[in-house]
Amino acid sequence: MTSLLQRLVAVLGRVNGPLSTAGRNVAGVLLAVMLALALAQIASRGLLHYSLGWAEELARVALVWSVLLVWPFAYRSGANVAIVSFADALPARLLLAVSILLNLLVVWILLVLLNESFAFWRRGLDMTAATLDLKMAWIYWIVPVSFTAMVLVGIELLIRLVLHLLGAQSGIVMEGAMPAVVES
C-alpha cells in the first residue's frame, strides 16, 4: 500500500512541482507588467493628459491572474496562514489526523469550485471586456486552470500526509497543521 502511495505521490510531485514553480514565476512577471502599466498610466495622464483606459483593466486582470497562478505554489509550500499555537498543543498523530481532515475539506471545496468555474468560464463567452475588445472567457480561463492545479496539489498533500501518518517517507514538514513539501 505505501509503495503504491509513494509512486503516486512521486508522479504528482513531478507534475505539481514544476507547474507550481512556473505559476509563481509567471505571477512575478504579471506583477511587473502590472507595475509597468500603472507607471505608463501615470506618465500618460501627467505628460500627455491622456488616459490609457485599457491599462487599468489589463492591470486588474494581471493582478487576479497573479493571485490565481501563485496559489498552488503557496498551498504546496505551506505558505498559507496557519494557526500554530493550537496545532502545537496537539499530539503529533492527532495533528496529522486533523491536517488530513482539513486537507480533505479543502480538496472537497476546491472540487466544488472547480465544477462551478466551468459555468463561470462559459458565461464569459457572452461578455466582452470593456476596453480590451476581448471575450471575458479568455480572461476567465485561468480560474478552472488554477482550481485544477489546486486540486492536484491538494491530492498530493493528502497522500503525503497519509504516508507521514503511516511512518513512511513523505517528503513533507509540518507547519502547524499545514504540510509543506520539501523538495529533495
Side-chain angles (χ1 to χ4, degrees):
M1 177 69 169
T2 56
S3 68
L4 174 66
L5 291 176
Q6 286 174 327
R7 284 196 306 264
L8 185 56
V9 86
V11 169
L12 285 169
R14 282 193 298 273
V15 170
N16 290 338
L19 280 179
S20 298
T21 302
R24 180 201 61 191
N25 295 342
V26 171
V29 169
L30 287 173
L31 288 175
V33 166
M34 198 172 68
L35 177 63
L37 287 169
L39 292 174
Q41 179 75 313
I42 291 167
S44 177
R45 282 183 185 168
L47 299 174
L48 306 174
H49 305 290
Y50 178 76
S51 179
L52 303 172
W54 55 269
E56 184 178 338
E57 189 171 25
L58 194 55
R60 245 185 326 218
V61 169
L63 174 66
V64 171
W65 273 44
S66 66
V67 169
L68 291 172
L69 285 170
V70 82
W71 194 15
F73 179 83
Y75 185 26
R76 190 168 190 268
S77 63
N80 295 312
V81 175
I83 302 171
V84 182
S85 59
F86 173 73
D88 287 345
L90 296 176
R93 292 185 67 74
L94 181 57
L95 177 62
L96 281 171
V98 167
S99 186
I100 289 170
L101 185 63
L102 289 173
N103 279 279
L104 273 170
L105 180 62
V106 167
V107 169
W108 174 68
I109 292 168
L110 288 169
L111 285 168
V112 170
L113 292 172
L114 173 61
N115 184 48
E116 294 297 320
S117 72
F118 292 110
F120 178 66
W121 175 81
R122 278 191 299 277
R123 282 192 301 276
L125 292 170
D126 298 328
M127 295 184 283
T128 303
T131 59
L132 298 176
D133 193 32
L134 182 70
K135 290 287 185 189
M136 290 301 291
W138 288 104
I139 296 170
Y140 291 169
W141 74 267
I142 195 65
V143 177
V145 168
S146 178
F147 280 120
T148 300
M150 287 295 291
V151 167
L152 290 174
V153 168
I155 292 168
E156 177 189 1
L157 291 177
L158 277 170
I159 296 169
R160 288 181 185 274
L161 284 164
V162 168
L163 286 169
H164 200 73
L165 186 65
L166 296 173
Q169 179 68 0
S170 64
I172 59 170
V173 295
M174 295 301 292
E175 301 287 337
M178 296 296 300
V181 175
V182 178
E183 300 292 342
S184 49

